[in-house]
Amino acid sequence: MKRLWLVRHPQVAVPPGICYGRTDVALAAAPDAMAAALRACLPGNFGLLSSPLRRCAELARLLHPAPRFDARLQEIDFGDWEMQRYDALPRADIDRWAADVWGFRPPGGESADDMARRVDAAWAEHRHDIQVVVAHGGPLKVIAGRLLDLPQAAWLDIRCPQGGWIELRHDGLRWQRTGQEVDGPGARPGVGGA
């Protein structure tokens, strides 16, 4: 039975209410405790794929001696919105985003559909020998949603807080959640980050 761990990076050093995605922000604290908790769950030999952004890469390097990095696993690019306060963004743009979560493209950025397509391409390339993915909320929800065969509208409801992970297993027919969703040490479930 194949198993897969979808791991979201730990809490970042960004104040609440700030929009960040592709920006390479720092972690709020070293990821040692999270790495130790996660290592206790993982098999002895596994392949690991990670976003290259440092909030993921630092954890990936603690989990595996030679992680693979793929830029296609980076969080959505919010363009001109990056590192801006949500409450300072134009209300009309926020309303357009709420009306079309997957199709809306922030000024200078990419849509969630754009992000999903690049994540799908990365997963298709690496899926055969990867058991652990360290990434961001958006890409992890795309992978989990596709594997669990959920409609796209349900992907945003997949719970994956910062510092937590989702464990999936393939029973030979389909992927299922194992029930081992873990918040992890220092998990922060809020929105506004990636």
Side-chain angles (χ1 to χ4, degrees), residues 144-155 158 177:
R146 290 248 194 254
L147 293 179
L148 294 170
D149 201 25
L150 298 173
Q152 190 180 50
W155 296 357
I158 297 171
R177 293 181 193 196

Side-chain angles (χ1 to χ4, degrees), residues 105-144:
R105 183 175 284 110
E110 67 180 338
S111 70
D113 274 331
D114 295 335
M115 179 267 298
R117 278 192 290 280
R118 64 176 161 77
V119 169
D120 286 340
W123 177 249
E125 181 178 325
H126 298 287
R127 67 189 169 100
H128 296 291
D129 56 352
I130 293 298
Q131 292 78 43
V132 179
V133 177
V134 180
H136 314 270
L140 294 176
K141 289 178 182 210
V142 168
I143 294 170

Side-chain angles (χ1 to χ4, degrees), residues 24-45:
D24 199 6
V25 298
L27 290 172
D32 301 67
M34 181 180 174
L38 186 52
R39 259 195 315 271
C41 303
L42 298 175
N45 187 20

Side-chain angles (χ1 to χ4, degrees), residues 90-109:
R91 183 74 227 173
D93 282 352
I94 296 292
D95 290 343
R96 282 196 298 278
W97 185 25
D100 185 9
V101 173
W102 292 96
F104 176 78
R105 183 175 284 110

